[in-house]
Amino acid sequence: LQDRLKLYNDAIQAAKEMGDNSKVRRYGRAVKTLESMIKVAKGGGVVNQEDVPPVVSIPKASAAKRPENQSTIEMPKTVNDAAKPKPNTEAKPLPEPLSEMDTSGHVPSSLTALLMSRKNEYKMAALNAKKAGNKELAMEYMRTAKGFDAVIEAANANQPVDLSNLPPPIGSKTITSGAIPSKKTEDQVQNSSAMEIAALAAAENDEEQPAIFSAPPAPSSILECLQQRLEKYKSTKEAAQSEGNSGKVRRLDRIVKSYETAIKNYKAGRKVDYDDLPCPPGFGPFPVEGNSASTPSTEDKPKEPKSTPAAKASAAPNPVVPTKKATAPQVPVRKPKVQRTTTFTGEKQLEFLLERQKLFREAAISSKQEGNIQQAKEYLKMMKGFDSMIEAVKMGLPIDTTQIPTPPQLESSDFVIVDALDCEENNTSDLSLEELFETLIKDLTNQLEICRRNKEFFLHLGDVTSASKFEKLALESKKDLSVVQHLKKTNQSVPKFHYETRLFSMVVCNTELADNELEVTVARGINLPGKQDELDSFVRVEFPIPNETPQTAKTHTIKDTNNPEFEETFKFEINRKSRSQLRLFKRHSLKLEVFQKGGFLRSDKLLGTVSVKLLDLESKCIVHDSFNLMEGRKNIGGSLEVKIRIRDPLLGKQVEEVKEKWLIIGS
């Protein structure tokens, strides 16, 4: 393990000199694994040899310098000598640095630096050719520059490389727009073939890595890739548990949880940060969305060319593989999908909007069939206007329900059957015509306000059925109001009308409060004990939840009266989901202490205490009453008006039957 750790440290140093940050990070993870294994081995624990990082081929510290008697670097034996081009009368001169190397008899101090400089030279030439408008020549230079990557990697891996086929330096060649080569020379074909063969030799070791780590086959989708990695980490965690390696078990447990969360977010359509997910040894990168498992990655690109130079020469004039594919991102960035809200109110509002949109669509079709094209277009515009509101509700945003138009299907009045006992006689015989019109207009306006308020209330609760009921009543009252106003304006007689007693079931709810809020209002004190015009008093409120640290508040001091008007409101936090807090509501009370303000040499004096039971909030959302001041169990006179409110009762809903005197016109 220590030898392997030293090997990886040398690899990190070599990768830093090359500037390869990805290898530095990968080797760093292996170093951490080896350090933990060494710690386990020193403690007498068992180390699983399958988890030991494999041997890595790296350039040694002395690999940059070659023996003085070595004048050339041979290519690997896999190169076919028959594939080399025959000598040409117009043979290209050897690169100047290499000729100097041969005559002097020693290798340059850094082979990697030479290859990197030649690669950068071809990149600059490709850029200049592109600026000059010679795209074909630019592509040719770019492919040559890309071929240097495999040779550099082979040199770093301490493998023999034949530099006799190294592309020559560009030198002082000038690139013009007309310098488009009509045909590849034999030297260019040989250079391309030599680069590809070197790349193939350097990439042979990569094929064995999945087999070493028992990696599964390449996944066809991101979800399959996530599940494969999750199974790998789970099996490694089980092996660590059997070995008794608690530190490794905790680390792997965190990784397993992160992958489970990533899979859950991926299935829900939410964004997944793939960079934060660790990769098991031997596993490939995440597949690009929409590609099959057989699609080669950018690391496998050098393995493709296996044809002869002649075949390469015939295929060279038609480059079909753009260089941009090599830089395609391995991990796709998924656009987060907007999820529809799962709250009860949001679902009801969405159902209400979809129903309205459907009614307008049916109204547009009906108008078109009747030949009223203009009216059909108006209904179609109203139907399209619901799209933005539906999208807002799906995103959890609030909407203005007062701006929702009413479809024509709901504007038609239906017959309402009422009992004759519910009807009242018109006791308006002593009113003048003007006063009678004013009374009808006032009653109809009040009915419109009641319908509007109840509609908004039920829409806020998500009760679409009740909201539609009050909207229909509002339409009827609005029509009646228009008729009465028209008759008054034209000085006609009062229409027939009567009053009915209608019963409405109302759900009491304080919609302006949140679910986790309890509001306490200290209204006023009534006949507090003390001198009438000299009492300075204030109230201290103590809410018993949570039991360990009760929440407290204090009002301002009201001076010179024993009937102070405090009118102060305080909000305390509660947790409806906590069963322990629900039990505290049954046993404890809200405590309010009334104090007399002290002076310079006098402390504050307690006048009395008020206790308000919280048990009533299980079935009510408002508790409003005046409570006597007590001293222990003794009533000392005076009282305190207090109001407590929550959004909904703690258990169930509070439903009240409300009777309204309803005006009906036209009968």
Side-chain angles (χ1 to χ4, degrees), residues 121-175:
E121 187 177 353
Y122 272 90
K123 279 188 176 181
M124 292 301 299
L127 184 61
N128 294 332
K130 182 180 179 182
K131 289 182 179 179
N134 195 343
K135 294 185 178 179
E136 185 176 351
L137 185 59
M139 291 288 292
E140 204 54 48
Y141 282 145
M142 199 63 197
R143 278 195 291 270
T144 305
K146 293 295 288 184
F148 275 95
D149 295 338
V151 180
I152 292 172
E153 186 175 355
N156 290 333
N158 203 16
Q159 296 179 359
V161 179
D162 186 4
L163 294 182
S164 60
N165 294 321
L166 190 72
I170 301 296
S172 59
K173 293 181 181 180
T174 57
I175 302 172

Side-chain angles (χ1 to χ4, degrees), residues 352 356 359-360 363 379 382 386 401-412 455 468 471-472 474-475 478:
F352 174 76
R356 284 296 173 88
L359 291 176
F360 273 107
Y379 289 153
M382 293 181 181
F386 281 86
T401 56
T402 60
Q403 303 297 327
I404 298 177
T406 303
Q409 292 91 331
L410 299 179
E411 294 180 355
S412 58
K455 172 192 171 184
S468 301
E471 184 179 11
K472 191 173 182 180
L475 289 174
K478 190 174 182 180

Side-chain angles (χ1 to χ4, degrees), residues 349-365:
Q349 288 180 347
L350 182 63
E351 180 183 352
F352 174 76
L353 293 174
L354 292 175
E355 181 66 25
R356 284 296 173 88
Q357 190 180 43
K358 179 182 177 182
L359 291 176
F360 273 107
R361 185 186 297 110
E362 293 174 356
I365 295 174

Side-chain angles (χ1 to χ4, degrees), residues 49-80:
Q49 295 185 7
E50 295 180 358
D51 295 337
V52 177
V55 178
V56 61
S57 298
I58 58 168
K60 298 181 181 179
S62 60
K65 297 183 180 180
R66 301 293 179 186
E68 293 184 356
N69 58 356
Q70 183 178 354
S71 59
T72 59
I73 301 173
E74 300 294 335
M75 281 291 291
K77 296 181 179 179
T78 55
V79 179
N80 187 7

Side-chain angles (χ1 to χ4, degrees), residues 22-246:
S22 62
K23 287 187 177 180
V24 171
R25 291 193 297 270
R26 186 165 71 249
Y27 294 157
R29 290 194 294 269
V31 166
K32 291 181 180 179
T33 303
L34 288 169
E35 289 175 350
S36 63
M37 289 182 175
I38 291 173
K39 185 177 180 181
V40 173
K42 288 182 178 180
V46 180
V47 176
N48 188 4
Q49 295 185 7
E50 295 180 358
D51 295 337
V52 177
V55 178
V56 61
S57 298
I58 58 168
K60 298 181 181 179
S62 60
K65 297 183 180 180
R66 301 293 179 186
E68 293 184 356
N69 58 356
Q70 183 178 354
S71 59
T72 59
I73 301 173
E74 300 294 335
M75 281 291 291
K77 296 181 179 179
T78 55
V79 179
N80 187 7
D81 294 337
K84 293 183 180 179
K86 298 180 180 179
N88 195 350
T89 57
E90 299 178 357
K92 62 182 186 302
L94 288 175
E96 295 179 2
L98 295 180
S99 62
E100 294 176 1
M101 177 188 67
D102 295 337
T103 57
S104 60
H106 63 85
V107 183
S109 60
S110 178
L111 178 62
T112 305
L114 173 64
L115 295 174
M116 290 295 295
S117 63
R118 190 67 55 83
K119 174 185 175 182
N120 293 334
E121 187 177 353
Y122 272 90
K123 279 188 176 181
M124 292 301 299
L127 184 61
N128 294 332
K130 182 180 179 182
K131 289 182 179 179
N134 195 343
K135 294 185 178 179
E136 185 176 351
L137 185 59
M139 291 288 292
E140 204 54 48
Y141 282 145
M142 199 63 197
R143 278 195 291 270
T144 305
K146 293 295 288 184
F148 275 95
D149 295 338
V151 180
I152 292 172
E153 186 175 355
N156 290 333
N158 203 16
Q159 296 179 359
V161 179
D162 186 4
L163 294 182
S164 60
N165 294 321
L166 190 72
I170 301 296
S172 59
K173 293 181 181 180
T174 57
I175 302 172
T176 60
S177 60
I180 302 177
S182 59
K183 182 179 180 182
K184 281 189 174 182
T185 63
E186 188 177 358
D187 293 335
Q188 291 173 332
V189 174
Q190 172 63 20
N191 291 338
S192 176
S193 177
M195 290 295 179
E196 291 164 356
I197 295 173
L200 182 60
E204 285 179 351
N205 294 332
D206 294 339
E207 297 179 353
E208 301 176 359
Q209 288 198 6
I212 293 175
F213 296 101
S214 302
S220 59
S221 64
I222 295 178
L223 181 60
E224 184 181 354
C225 184
L226 290 171
Q227 291 173 346
Q228 287 179 356
R229 296 185 177 194
L230 177 61
E231 293 299 327
K232 174 64 177 178
Y233 279 114
K234 282 184 176 180
S235 60
T236 309
K237 176 185 172 184
E238 293 174 358
Q241 287 176 344
S242 61
E243 297 170 3
N245 191 345
S246 59

Side-chain angles (χ1 to χ4, degrees), residues 459-489:
L459 279 178
H460 194 79
L461 290 179
D463 191 349
V464 181
T465 305
S466 300
S468 301
K469 175 183 177 182
F470 280 103
E471 184 179 11
K472 191 173 182 180
L473 291 175
L475 289 174
E476 295 175 357
S477 299
K478 190 174 182 180
K479 283 184 179 181
D480 293 343
L481 181 60
S482 300
V483 170
V484 173
Q485 289 176 342
H486 177 72
L487 294 177
K488 178 184 177 183
K489 187 176 181 179

